[in-house]
Amino acid sequence: MADLLGEDFETATSAAQARTTVPVLLPIGPRKEIGVVWERAPNAKPVDPRKLKTIVERFDLPPLPDVSRRFAEWVARYTLSPRGMVLKMMMSAGDVFSPDAPRWGYRLAGPPPARLTPGRKRVLEVASEVGAAGVIWQKSDLANRAGVSYGVIDGLAEAGTFQRVELPRTTPPQPAPDHAPPTLSEGQSYAAHSLCETLNAGGFSVSLIDGVTGSGKTEVYFEAVAEALRLGRQVLIMLPEIALTGQFLSRFERRFGCRPTEWHSSISPGERARSWRAVAEGEARVVAGARSALFLPYRDLGLIVVDEEHDNAFKQEDNVRYHARDMAVVRGSLGKNAVMLASATPSLESVVNAQNGRYRQIVLPQRYSGAQMPELTAIDLRATPPERGRWIAPPLVEAINETLERGQQSLLFLNRRGYAPLTICRKCGHRIECPQCSVTLVEHRHRAEITCHHCGFTLPSPKLCPKCENEGTLVPCGPGVERVAEEVAERWPGVETAILSSDLVPTLKALREVIGRVASGEARIIIGTQLVAKGHHFPLLATVGVVDGDLSLASGDPRAAERTFQLLSQVTGRAGREDGVKGLGLVQTHLPEHPVMQAIVAGDRDEFLRREIEFRREAGMPPFGRLAGVIVSAKTKPEAEHHAKALAVAAPRAEKVAVLGPAEAPLALIRGRYRYRLMVKAAREVDMQAYLREWLTRMPPEKGSLRVVLDVDPYGFM
Ligand code: ADP
Ligand code: ZN
């Protein structure tokens, strides 16, 4: 899509003499680009009429709502991204713009054309077959059967042989607010009532639904969804992970009688087109989707729900770097909507906003089923280590044995894909690393490959050490889920297992099948990565073992403690969700005395938050201060380093702003690009965007392979 800040864009605007935001096709040089007619800037210079160009086509689509346009501008300004890039997300509508979108049908309506090419003849033959009289053809169908290009059909329509008729639009099914409402517990009912009241009051508001795992947060916000439907308005429900949507969709269907409109990267271009249009026309009433669903052109959005609001999957790490939870709040404020954030482990940012009264906090302290919260214990790996080459310590083995005896499920959690994260030569000490990234290659035994988790570089698993060329000297070090699964198969032969790891279940369908086998209780031991940590409800799951509780603590990320706390609480929170299934969470750790570990085991969230908030306040870290990351990369190290240093020199001096670095990035090399990082740290009251814009004007130009990326409110520090 054209960057709509350009001159061509202004030209198109004046040519259209329009004030509505209509999608159009524009000539830009020799190309045709999809654009959107914007309002002319009040201070725009007059355009030379000779430079005006004519719009090629005005799409038969509803104009982008005014609030979508303001939202695009806001996001672009905040993230320092080109407006066109944000707009591109908004307009990523699959087949909507393609001329063969199945919107039009073709019916044989006139005599054969004067010029009858072989292609045209074949089309006419197909359309005149027995039983084909009066049929309205889809262009693609007709073209495929006759083996011709779409152009042939167009030609026949132009000649009047075929008539173009509009196909009836299918409206998505309408969720019914009163289809099957649950009987809420007293606490739930109070919470639901309060949310509905907020919604009915109208205007912008943010509510934080803070409820323990299994408290029924979903049922509660479904009541607000029902209320928004009764008000005749649209609803957006954002989920961090599409793997989650399977269970969610069926649950939604049970409550509302039909599925919501889905929106994420795995839907087909045709479905995208239909959904995009249905959202724009207001016919799609409830959208459930990933972060990109926030950019759909809702005609009348009334409610935005962000489920698992603490989840870092809401942060987009390429192109426009935005956090969908934060942008949902912005979208809500621009559209005067109610926003509801739900989590059992709310982000520190949201907790602070609730504490200072900016967000309303709705607390659900108990599990709906009456089940107790799982009992948590740390397993000190120094005192009771697993045997050599094994990863499950004796106390955890015992707990799993007991769980199996009771006929219940156990889950082993390890946030690491593959078999082993590192392969070392016993003879020469060589570590097998990625040639393009500064990380080791991870062995994936089921594929007999070693692969880089950053760039995808892959080799067949080597038989010889690449360095000393000895045979049989390579040893895998450390565990990945595959290796833990191997240990499980050895320890508990014949027991049904399931592995939930994104690379082992590559398609959404396969993933949903595995999740189904877990939810039904068929799989008795589940081995999973963070895929299992999120939102699932597995009724028979009793015991959760965290294989490496220290994994996410050791990183230079200011949110490392928070993230570990959230992850471990969420994973162990999968256990014992039904009454009669006693939940047990066992965390293997080398650091049982670490405050985060202590807080997790004690189940003392408030104490953890209190300490963490204090720490962030003192350190001036978010949400008490602002951060922006600047990542410089280039094909050679000196280039990257030199430029990073030049950027630091060019940084404007400003009060309450510190520019830290440059330093070599922890991931110093990714995809053959050397990386340096700078960090801007500023007080909360500083206008970070203004500062960065000023800096941008002073930065030396990016020559050669150099690239500079700005990351406002960073969540990644590698
Ligand atoms: P959370 O999102 O807080 O972890 P869920 O909304 O997934 O909790 O609820 C946990 C389980 O309890 C789900 O199986 C849900 O269907 C059930 N549940 C919660 N509230 C009710 C209710 N009022 N009536 C029936 N089932 C409920
Ligand atoms: Zn790599």
Side-chain angles (χ1 to χ4, degrees):
M1 178 167 322
D3 180 347
L4 300 182
L5 295 171
E7 192 186 330
D8 285 321
F9 161 68
E10 295 292 353
T11 310
T13 314
S14 41
Q17 289 293 308
R19 294 177 70 84
T20 44
T21 319
V22 188
V24 293
L25 198 62
L26 306 172
I28 292 181
R31 292 169 298 134
K32 286 179 192 160
E33 294 276 1
I34 295 163
V36 172
V37 177
W38 216 257
E39 201 167 50
R40 223 180 141 176
N43 51 0
K45 284 194 254 50
V47 181
D48 179 350
R50 278 167 307 180
K51 282 187 164 175
L52 287 181
K53 288 176 191 159
T54 313
I55 286 171
V56 181
E57 185 187 344
R58 179 194 188 287
F59 291 105
D60 174 29
L61 292 169
L64 272 189
D66 189 50
V67 55
S68 291
R69 192 173 75 174
R70 281 186 292 133
F71 183 48
E73 278 177 340
W74 205 101
V75 174
R77 209 175 318 121
Y78 190 81
T79 59
L80 285 103
S81 313
R83 246 194 301 185
M85 212 141 103
V86 180
L87 216 61
K88 187 171 178 170
M89 297 197 293
M90 254 176 200
M91 308 301 278
S92 99
D95 284 344
V96 150
F97 305 109
S98 95
D100 52 298
R103 219 154 30 92
W104 298 100
Y106 293 79
R107 186 167 55 197
L108 196 55
R115 204 168 61 81
L116 200 60
T117 60
R120 288 180 167 190
K121 222 173 131 201
R122 280 203 301 283
V123 175
L124 287 177
E125 276 162 20
V126 170
S128 320
E129 277 168 13
V130 191
V135 165
I136 299 176
W137 296 91
Q138 288 205 2
K139 193 196 248 179
S140 52
D141 194 19
L142 191 52
N144 287 343
R145 286 206 199 191
V148 299
S149 69
Y150 292 163
V152 178
I153 317 275
D154 290 337
L156 284 168
E158 227 159 82
T161 309
F162 277 85
Q163 186 191 9
R164 203 163 81 130
V165 287
E166 191 158 7
L167 292 172
R169 290 215 181 123
T170 46
T171 25
Q174 302 295 299
D178 300 308
H179 176 74
T183 314
L184 298 179
S185 72
E186 201 179 326
Q188 288 179 334
S189 163
Y190 181 80
H193 188 75
S194 166
L195 290 177
C196 290
E197 234 172 38
T198 309
L199 190 66
N200 278 310
F204 169 60
S205 64
V206 185
S207 309
L208 176 63
I209 309 170
D210 176 0
V212 298
T213 50
S215 58
K217 291 181 290 296
T218 316
E219 304 295 342
V220 167
Y221 74 65
F222 273 178
E223 292 312 293
V225 172
E227 190 69 4
L229 288 173
R230 286 184 205 108
L231 295 171
R233 310 198 65 186
Q234 287 172 295
V235 178
L236 162 63
I237 303 172
M238 289 205 290
L239 304 162
E241 182 85 54
I242 52 167
L244 267 181
T245 52
Q247 267 194 334
F248 179 86
L249 296 176
S250 351
R251 196 157 163 193
F252 186 93
E253 188 172 9
R254 283 199 297 280
R255 171 67 182 82
F256 294 103
C258 69
R259 295 194 156 210
T261 301
E262 261 183 271
W263 189 267
H264 48 71
S265 54
S266 300
I267 58 176
S268 72
E271 200 177 341
R272 271 184 111 69
R274 276 191 298 281
S275 298
W276 194 90
R277 183 184 279 274
V279 170
E281 287 172 348
E283 278 164 4
R285 306 296 306 284
V286 179
V287 176
R291 54 182 185 240
S292 55
L294 191 57
F295 292 91
L296 285 168
Y298 299 91
R299 203 175 123 167
D300 181 24
L301 190 58
L303 168 64
I304 306 172
V305 178
V306 185
D307 204 348
E308 309 289 348
E309 68 91 35
H310 63 279
D311 200 300
N312 287 330
F314 283 123
K315 176 75 197 292
Q316 171 150 310
E317 295 290 5
D318 53 12
N319 295 323
V320 182
R321 294 173 171 244
Y322 67 95
H323 197 297
R325 180 232 307 136
D326 297 346
M327 293 307 115
V329 172
V330 171
R331 176 66 176 77
S333 110
L334 292 174
K336 301 193 171 52
N337 309 126
V339 180
M340 299 179 183
L341 314 176
S343 175
T345 50
S347 62
L348 198 115
E349 278 80 356
S350 296
V351 169
V352 170
N353 276 326
Q355 284 179 357
N356 63 25
R358 253 199 294 258
Y359 295 176
R360 300 177 60 248
Q361 190 171 14
I362 313 260
V363 180
L364 293 164
Q366 273 148 18
R367 287 190 154 173
Y368 169 74
S369 59
Q372 295 297 306
M373 293 305 288
E375 192 188 306
L376 301 183
T377 319
I379 296 177
D380 186 345
L381 288 174
R382 295 164 308 189
T384 52
E387 305 97 56
R388 241 184 98 85
R390 298 266 173 131
W391 315 99
I392 311 173
L396 184 50
V397 173
E398 201 176 309
I400 294 173
N401 279 333
E402 283 165 16
T403 310
L404 283 171
E405 271 162 33
R406 289 197 306 270
Q408 294 169 338
Q409 285 173 310
S410 306
L411 165 72
L412 287 166
F413 170 76
L414 178 64
N415 206 6
R416 213 190 249 147
R417 287 176 290 139
Y419 183 82
L422 168 67
T423 307
I424 267 190
C425 174
R426 196 163 44 186
K427 197 92 184 180
C428 73
H430 178 67
R431 300 151 56 96
I432 303 187
E433 288 182 355
C434 176
Q436 327 186 67
C437 308
S438 49
V439 294
T440 55
L441 295 180
V442 179
E443 181 185 357
H444 287 252
R445 195 159 278 192
H446 78 287
R447 295 200 306 256
E449 282 171 355
I450 48 173
T451 194
C452 171
H453 283 182
H454 288 281
C455 72
F457 174 86
T458 300
L459 289 175
S461 291
K463 300 236 169 6
L464 313 178
C465 169
K467 184 131 178 257
C468 68
E469 299 190 343
N470 274 304
E471 197 175 341
T473 56
L474 291 174
V475 278
C477 298
V481 277
E482 283 181 36
R483 199 167 194 185
V484 174
E486 182 184 85
E487 181 177 342
V488 166
E490 282 164 19
R491 283 188 192 273
W492 293 284
V495 171
E496 195 73 30
T497 61
I499 311 187
L500 267 167
S501 174
S502 55
D503 63 315
L504 295 172
V505 270
T507 66
L508 191 55
K509 193 162 159 269
L511 183 59
R512 286 180 179 171
E513 266 168 32
V514 180
I515 291 175
R517 281 210 303 130
V518 175
S520 72
E522 191 186 320
R524 307 293 294 285
I525 302 179
I526 303 111
I527 303 104
T529 58
Q530 54 159 358
L531 266 188
V532 296
K534 299 179 181 181
H536 305 286
H537 185 67
F538 300 138
L540 283 176
L541 184 62
T543 301
V544 170
V546 177
V547 175
D548 187 350
D550 309 328
L551 200 58
S552 51
L553 264 179
S555 79
D557 178 343
R559 291 188 186 83
E562 180 189 357
R563 209 179 292 192
T564 304
F565 186 85
Q566 285 163 344
L567 188 62
L568 298 189
S569 309
Q570 290 282 350
V571 182
T572 50
R574 300 301 117 210
R577 286 161 65 98
E578 295 278 313
D579 204 10
V581 179
K582 190 168 163 313
L584 188 62
L586 296 160
V587 183
Q588 301 195 147
T589 173
H590 288 98
L591 308 159
E593 65 284 337
H594 193 289
V596 174
M597 215 51 79
Q598 299 259 315
I600 289 166
V601 171
D604 197 348
R605 192 185 84 170
D606 291 346
E607 173 58 16
F608 171 76
L609 285 172
R610 199 191 55 70
R611 286 173 45 109
E612 192 61 19
I613 287 171
E614 208 40 56
F615 166 75
R616 296 256 191 108
R617 194 195 307 274
E618 265 165 31
M621 284 292 175
F624 303 101
R626 296 178 190 278
L627 293 180
V630 181
I631 304 121
V632 181
S633 67
K635 285 201 176 135
T636 66
K637 194 168 166 178
E639 255 184 303
E641 184 177 11
H642 182 80
H643 196 72
K645 283 184 176 155
L647 290 193
V649 172
R653 274 172 216 293
E655 243 180 88
K656 301 188 178 177
V657 180
V659 174
L660 314 172
E664 199 173 36
L667 280 172
L669 179 66
I670 299 185
R671 293 170 197 273
R673 297 184 67 85
Y674 292 84
R675 304 167 74 245
Y676 278 78
R677 297 190 67 113
L678 296 105
M679 179 70 76
V680 188
K681 187 163 176 273
R684 218 191 129 72
E685 61 271 23
V686 168
D687 183 344
M688 178 66 95
Q689 281 69 23
Y691 180 83
L692 293 173
R693 265 196 302 275
E694 171 64 28
W695 193 3
L696 277 173
T697 65
R698 303 179 185 204
M699 285 185 183
E702 295 161 31
K703 284 194 291 257
S705 67
L706 272 165
R707 234 184 63 183
V708 176
V709 169
L710 296 183
D711 186 6
V712 176
D713 302 338
Y715 278 72
F717 298 84
M718 301 303 278

